Amino acid sequence: MKDLECGDNLPVDLLREILVRFPVRLLWQLKSVCRSWNSLISSPEFAMHHLQRSTLTHPPPPLLCWKLPVGLAGDIKHCSSQSLILDRQHQPQPVSHPGDGKFIRGSCNGLLCLSEGFPYKTLTLLNPSTRSVSPSVPFEGSDECGNDFLCGFGYDILHDQYKLVMGCCASSRLTDSKVRSGAIVFTFGANPSWKTVDHPVFPYDFRGARNEIFVSGTLNWLVCDPTSSTIDRELEWFVLTFDLETELFGLPITRMQRDFCEMPPLQVHNNCLSVCYRTPYEPIICTLWIMKEHGVETSWIQLFAIPSDVGISLGSLVVPLYILEDHNLLVLDTGQVCVYNLRQNQLVSRVRHRYNWVYLYCCQESLVSPSHYCGLN
């Protein structure tokens, strides 16, 4: 059968503007229609155009990806958050890539960064939407931090490169005069490279979650100043940032004195840095704040608060995952994923799961090729 050539009657720019509006799964199927469509959809330029458009408009609900913790074998799994919201079903699917010995270290632009070994021996990029994976590349990590390390994965838009940052959780001021080497910045590419950069000189430490959030070209962690404890046991919290373009840690932003019940994880909502926390003695499960302009402390605004009488576990650490256009909020609770309507102030549905101890990564669906950013096509 002769291979079809299609779309010849349409200008390429017009065809691109039509196709770029389609979701990833449909586009992946349309690659088989004809050679010209396959070539267009497979191009890195189209993947970037599709990603930028879906980011600027309201993106579809993300995939939820996770890996069982150290000591438990199993594949990297994912499920559609849309199925949780619309179908009220939790149907985890393994990604078609062996997960034993590999762990998720970050998510950015639809790619997961996987590590193997400790200290890390190899790094791999995986796109769970297209199930495409890059070859593993060697990585010379340091074990001087032991298990007490921070890690982040993000995209340097200026140089069109993906980078992994690995450093120690506590600053050099907390090391009892021990000289600590710098953090490692690893750059993916045809000729992967790494360099060391200085840790921040100001004191910082983690209390609980160490997840990073990529937003506005920076990696961000919520940390505390361990020297700031008051009589009321309040700590001073701030956002530790790393600029992927300049490859430097920034000054602390958003210093705040808070008596958190637990250290809340950072999140991203509407392309803005956000944090959701609850404080003791208040009838509120969590209050979500977003930073409308990254790095500007005065741009924090309260987006919503979830009261304690809606059926979500009061004693757990609640993590808002995604806000839909219809004002429904996808919330991770202990042993369950809930849908909460912000406008009606009520719990819409809940889906129970058995992965109480894993950290979920929200992975935007994209066509970004892992191999392209490892210099293989």
Side-chain angles (χ1 to χ4, degrees):
M1 180 178 178
K2 183 180 179 181
D3 187 65
L4 292 175
E5 289 296 338
C6 51
D8 294 337
N9 295 326
L10 288 176
V12 175
D13 290 344
L14 178 57
L15 178 61
R16 182 187 298 110
E17 288 305 313
I18 293 173
L19 293 179
V20 80
R21 288 164 168 74
F22 293 164
V24 170
R25 293 185 183 182
L26 178 56
L27 286 170
W28 207 246
Q29 296 171 350
L30 291 177
K31 289 176 62 176
S32 62
V33 170
C34 61
R35 288 180 180 176
S36 60
W37 283 28
N38 179 65
S39 177
L40 174 62
I41 296 170
S42 300
S43 69
E45 295 78 17
F46 182 85
M48 183 57 66
H49 189 191
H50 183 271
L51 176 67
Q52 290 172 344
R53 188 183 186 281
S54 64
T55 301
L56 293 175
T57 59
H58 199 80
L63 293 175
L64 304 180
C65 304
W66 67 94
K67 174 71 169 67
L68 295 180
V70 177
L72 297 177
D75 291 330
I76 296 166
K77 295 182 182 294
H78 77 277
C79 72
S80 167
S81 54
Q82 195 157 4
S83 68
L84 292 171
I85 297 166
L86 300 179
D87 304 329
R88 303 182 184 182
Q89 293 181 353
H90 174 241
Q91 299 175 329
Q93 299 292 329
V95 179
S96 57
H97 178 69
D100 284 349
K102 288 185 169 64
F103 297 93
I104 303 173
R105 296 305 177 190
S107 171
C108 178
N109 293 346
L111 296 181
L112 296 177
C113 181
L114 312 178
S115 70
E116 184 173 18
F118 186 82
Y120 303 170
K121 301 301 182 184
T122 65
L123 297 174
T124 308
L125 298 182
L126 168 68
N127 185 326
S129 300
T130 63
R131 298 176 181 262
S132 54
V133 61
S134 74
S136 296
V137 294
F139 177 73
E140 297 180 3
S142 170
D143 62 351
E144 69 172 340
C145 304
N147 292 322
D148 195 26
F149 65 92
L150 62 84
C151 191
F153 172 66
Y155 177 63
D156 175 0
I157 189 172
L158 179 65
H159 301 100
D160 190 27
Q161 295 173 325
Y162 285 88
K163 299 178 180 181
L164 177 92
V165 177
M166 178 183 176
C168 296
C169 277
S171 66
S172 57
R173 291 189 180 183
L174 305 176
T175 59
D176 298 326
S177 300
K178 176 185 176 182
V179 177
R180 176 169 288 173
S181 61
I184 298 174
V185 182
F186 179 88
T187 301
F188 290 87
N191 298 301
S193 62
W194 53 85
K195 62 183 288 189
T196 57
V197 297
D198 292 335
H199 284 98
V201 296
F202 48 81
Y204 69 92
D205 202 359
F206 284 73
R207 293 288 189 271
R210 301 175 187 176
N211 71 301
E212 49 77 28
I213 290 296
F214 171 76
V215 64
S216 299
T218 65
L219 299 173
N220 301 265
W221 299 266
L222 186 63
V223 297
C224 67
D225 181 349
T227 67
S228 65
S229 181
T230 65
I231 298 177
D232 298 328
R233 296 184 179 180
E234 289 188 343
L235 288 172
E236 188 175 62
W237 302 84
F238 59 91
V239 178
L240 176 65
T241 68
F242 184 87
D243 190 306
L244 289 168
E245 179 184 328
T246 62
E247 298 184 341
L248 295 172
F249 284 97
L251 295 174
I253 60 174
T254 313
R255 287 190 176 273
M256 50 188 169
Q257 204 82 19
R258 279 289 180 181
D259 181 15
F260 289 134
C261 296
E262 294 184 62
M263 181 174 175
L266 285 178
Q267 297 290 322
V268 60
H269 290 282
N270 298 327
N271 299 315
C272 297
L273 198 65
S274 67
V275 62
C276 190
Y277 63 86
R278 74 177 179 90
T279 51
Y281 319 116
E282 292 186 9
I284 295 176
I285 292 177
C286 82
T287 305
L288 184 76
W289 292 78
I290 65 171
M291 180 182 271
K292 296 290 288 183
E293 185 176 351
H294 186 266
V296 180
E297 298 192 23
T298 56
S299 69
W300 282 100
I301 63 169
Q302 180 178 323
L303 198 61
F304 61 79
I306 301 178
S308 59
D309 58 353
V310 296
I312 299 177
S313 304
L314 184 60
S316 65
L317 185 61
V318 174
V319 180
L321 297 175
Y322 185 79
I323 304 174
L324 288 86
E325 290 181 306
D326 58 2
H327 303 284
N328 278 332
L329 172 71
L330 190 65
V331 181
L332 176 65
D333 190 13
T334 303
Q336 62 184 357
V337 178
C338 304
V339 177
Y340 174 79
N341 189 277
L342 297 169
R343 177 168 290 179
Q344 299 174 359
N345 232 14
Q346 66 179 17
L347 188 67
V348 177
S349 64
R350 70 178 80 200
V351 179
R352 298 199 177 275
H353 62 82
R354 59 188 179 89
Y355 306 109
N356 296 349
W357 60 92
V358 298
Y359 180 79
L360 286 177
Y361 289 84
C362 291
C363 191
Q364 180 181 354
E365 295 192 55
S366 82
L367 293 166
V368 176
S369 166
S371 296
H372 172 73
Y373 286 95
C374 289
L376 298 181
N377 59 12

